[in-house]
Amino acid sequence: MHFIELASGDKMPMLGLGTWKLSRDEAYDAVKTAIANGYRHIDCAWIYQNEADVGRALKECMDAGIVQRDELWVTSKLWNDRHHADHVEEALRESLSDLQLDYVDLYLIHWPVAHQFGIPRPASGEDFASLDQIPLNHTWAAMLECVEKGLCRNVGVSNFSAPKIQFLIESTGVAPACNQVESHPYLQQPGLAEFCDKHSIVFTAYSPLGSGDRPETMKTAGEPSLFTDPVLLALAEKNNLSIAQLMLAWAVNRGTVPIPKSANEDRQIQNLAAAAVELSDEDMQTIQSLDQHHRFIDGTFWEVPGSSYTVSDLWNE
């Protein structure tokens, strides 16, 4: 397994297991299987509603001596209704209790979107809190306090644009350790990747295979499919890889950290093996040419009438 070093000096495995969209039973089985097959990076979040099952799997693997805590990299995320500084530590402690851990290696602000406290899934504009009401830098300062208290080793963000990260840096003097965003051959985000590299921020790629199994409400008619792209199919055949392995190898080769979700043991093993594949410069350039700046997770679900959030403001595009 390759590793990438964070600004803190901690080293993150360059391919992890995503747990979004896994049911509770699937999450338990998938984490146990993944760890048995060599995974050491598990990506979680409170809103996935399966952290207790992930925690049960982690504890059983550690109790059985399959893995030690210091060999694992576990990420969790702060959900939108806990952005107020008074609720950040409480939210992290809840995730730690579910995960049965004393600390997480990385804790992220899940979205630059705030809800009213206790409303995880807003139904109306009144259920949101504006970023004027709960500024991101206030949330960020509370995240940094969690590091000081030993509840997490590193803190970062998810779904943040460069201007939003710049705001945090200018407000606190501390850059996020990581920015976790959607990234795949159709959404490469080179400008954001360059910004992150400049500030020693690890670029983690969620939905690195396009998240074709995401909820139907998040899909649009006629959206492109990575798995039928003729260029990717030809490159995968040329390199004797599956198309999924090709995309994951591309992500690692460009210095990003993909976190594909899979509950299937064979696919887990294939995905992990992709992290060791080296692609030629020519193949990397060919994949680079496929960028369409197409978001499968476009953020339109935050555009609720009466709220202050818009897609253009979300991505600063």
Side-chain angles (χ1 to χ4, degrees), residues 34-54:
I35 290 175
N37 284 296
Y39 280 77
R40 294 297 180 261
H41 178 173
I42 310 296
D43 183 84
C44 312
W46 179 87
I47 195 61
Y48 302 164
Q49 293 296 285
N50 56 18
E51 285 192 327
D53 306 279
V54 171

Side-chain angles (χ1 to χ4, degrees), residues 225-251:
S225 170
L226 288 160
F227 280 85
T228 59
D229 186 285
V231 175
L232 294 176
L233 287 168
L235 286 177
E237 183 177 4
K238 170 189 167 186
N239 287 280
N240 196 29
L241 300 169
S242 71
I243 194 167
Q245 286 179 311
L246 176 76
M247 289 189 280
L248 296 174
W250 167 80

Side-chain angles (χ1 to χ4, degrees), residues 14-79:
M14 286 193 73
L15 190 142
L17 178 75
T19 59
W20 178 39
K21 307 182 298 272
L22 290 177
S23 70
R24 296 184 59 183
D25 288 342
E26 286 176 330
Y28 169 77
D29 291 336
V31 170
K32 288 204 74 172
T33 301
I35 290 175
N37 284 296
Y39 280 77
R40 294 297 180 261
H41 178 173
I42 310 296
D43 183 84
C44 312
W46 179 87
I47 195 61
Y48 302 164
Q49 293 296 285
N50 56 18
E51 285 192 327
D53 306 279
V54 171
R56 185 160 55 97
L58 293 175
K59 185 175 188 304
E60 289 180 10
C61 287
M62 288 188 283
D63 287 349
I66 298 170
V67 67
Q68 302 298 315
R69 174 64 185 96
D70 60 6
E71 297 175 308
L72 287 170
W73 184 280
V74 181
T75 296
S76 187
K77 306 179 191 79
L78 176 77
W79 189 237

